[in-house]
Amino acid sequence: MRDVPGRTPKYLVIRDDLIRRIRNGEFAPGDALPGQRHLSDEYGVSLMTLRQALDELCDQGVVEQLPGRGTYVRALPVPYSMGNLRSLADDLRAHGIEVRTRVLSREIIPAPEELIRRFRIPADSQLLKLERIRIVRGTPLIHQLSYLPQPFADLLSDVDFEQQELYAVLTERAGAVAAQAEETITPVLMPEHVGELLGLPAGEPAMRSERVTRDADRRTLVVDFAVLAGNGVVIMNTREAGGHLMSYAIGDNSPSM
């Protein structure tokens, strides 16, 4: 089909439709797309037009073409804005991404010296230590340690954090509203104990997030330490006239074979 001046080129229409089908789950991450001839017949276009659409998808990291084997779907990266005060899980859910939480442990502990020194936590504090795994699109991608000082530690000691989100419960039970957060992202190698929990090899590239969230009175609400799988997270910086927006993208950089 010849493109008509002023209309969207056919290969871009096909690209967008394939993205829609992938988002809707017709083709899952790791799946092979139907053959090129099959797709060209389905869309009523030449092989050349179909290949233009696939090249666009490759350039965007949506699919990967493996010589002699076909075209495989990668997980679509989804932006997570670091310009707001939502948690990573809340931000992914806002984009329609399935996120589940597995609680590994929870306990009340004396405040560690490092947290007392760095995050303005009183020396005699008891903290709620919460260890979780974040499962994104069915894949364990994030290991998270959260520390909550008193009185929040006491108020949240019985919460089911596999069903409820930390920041929402803080507001509901304690009236604590996040007003400011500082987050640092550092490239690291996957620690062995975290790799075992995520099902990933130790020593492969990963990212470590350190975040402290405070209320309007500068009280520390939560201190978070997270290790994010390097093959599933991309940090992006969007520059605009009025400033810039830093974000993550969650995805899978290789097809499951």
Side-chain angles (χ1 to χ4, degrees), residues 174-207:
V177 178
Q180 186 261 346
E182 299 169 4
E183 185 170 12
T184 302
I185 306 292
T186 307
V188 296
L189 298 179
M190 178 65 68
E192 183 175 357
H193 72 284
V194 175
E196 290 176 356
L197 294 171
L198 298 179
L200 297 171
E204 73 171 23
M207 297 180 189

Side-chain angles (χ1 to χ4, degrees), residues 148-167:
L148 287 80
Q150 292 174 320
F152 312 120
D154 299 326
L155 291 171
L156 276 59
S157 61
D158 63 340
V159 173
D160 181 356
F161 287 108
E162 293 193 353
Q163 300 299 322
Q164 295 178 275
E165 277 302 318
L166 176 56
Y167 288 87

Side-chain angles (χ1 to χ4, degrees), residues 68 80-81 119 121-122 149 171 208 217 250 255-256:
Y80 160 58
S81 171
F119 301 110
I121 295 173
T171 301
R208 185 177 188 269
D217 295 324
I250 302 296
S256 300

Side-chain angles (χ1 to χ4, degrees), residues 87-247:
S87 69
L88 172 58
D90 285 339
D91 206 74
L92 290 174
R93 291 191 183 103
H95 287 86
I97 299 301
E98 177 196 9
V99 182
R100 293 188 293 110
T101 299
R102 181 192 309 149
V103 175
L104 300 180
S105 66
R106 57 190 299 161
E107 58 181 327
I108 301 294
I109 63 169
E113 179 61 33
E114 180 187 8
L115 272 62
I116 293 171
R117 176 173 49 83
R118 296 181 57 199
F119 301 110
R120 305 177 187 175
I121 295 173
D124 58 350
S125 289
Q126 297 286 307
L127 307 183
L128 172 62
K129 178 183 177 182
L130 179 63
E131 183 178 15
R132 293 169 289 174
I133 295 291
R134 301 294 196 172
I135 302 169
V136 183
R137 293 188 178 119
T139 301
L141 284 184
I142 303 160
H143 174 265
Q144 188 170 12
L145 280 175
S146 300
Y147 296 88
L148 287 80
Q150 292 174 320
F152 312 120
D154 299 326
L155 291 171
L156 276 59
S157 61
D158 63 340
V159 173
D160 181 356
F161 287 108
E162 293 193 353
Q163 300 299 322
Q164 295 178 275
E165 277 302 318
L166 176 56
Y167 288 87
V169 177
L170 267 174
T171 301
E172 293 168 6
R173 291 204 176 187
V177 178
Q180 186 261 346
E182 299 169 4
E183 185 170 12
T184 302
I185 306 292
T186 307
V188 296
L189 298 179
M190 178 65 68
E192 183 175 357
H193 72 284
V194 175
E196 290 176 356
L197 294 171
L198 298 179
L200 297 171
E204 73 171 23
M207 297 180 189
R208 185 177 188 269
S209 166
E210 179 181 295
R211 169 172 164 163
V212 55
T213 302
R214 300 185 176 95
D215 65 11
D217 295 324
R218 301 288 294 172
R219 290 185 304 169
T220 296
L221 302 179
V222 186
V223 177
D224 283 306
F225 300 100
V227 175
L228 305 95
N231 69 341
V233 180
V234 178
I235 297 179
M236 300 180 296
N237 186 19
T238 302
R239 299 178 184 271
E240 299 177 351
H244 67 93
L245 173 66
M246 187 73 76
S247 63

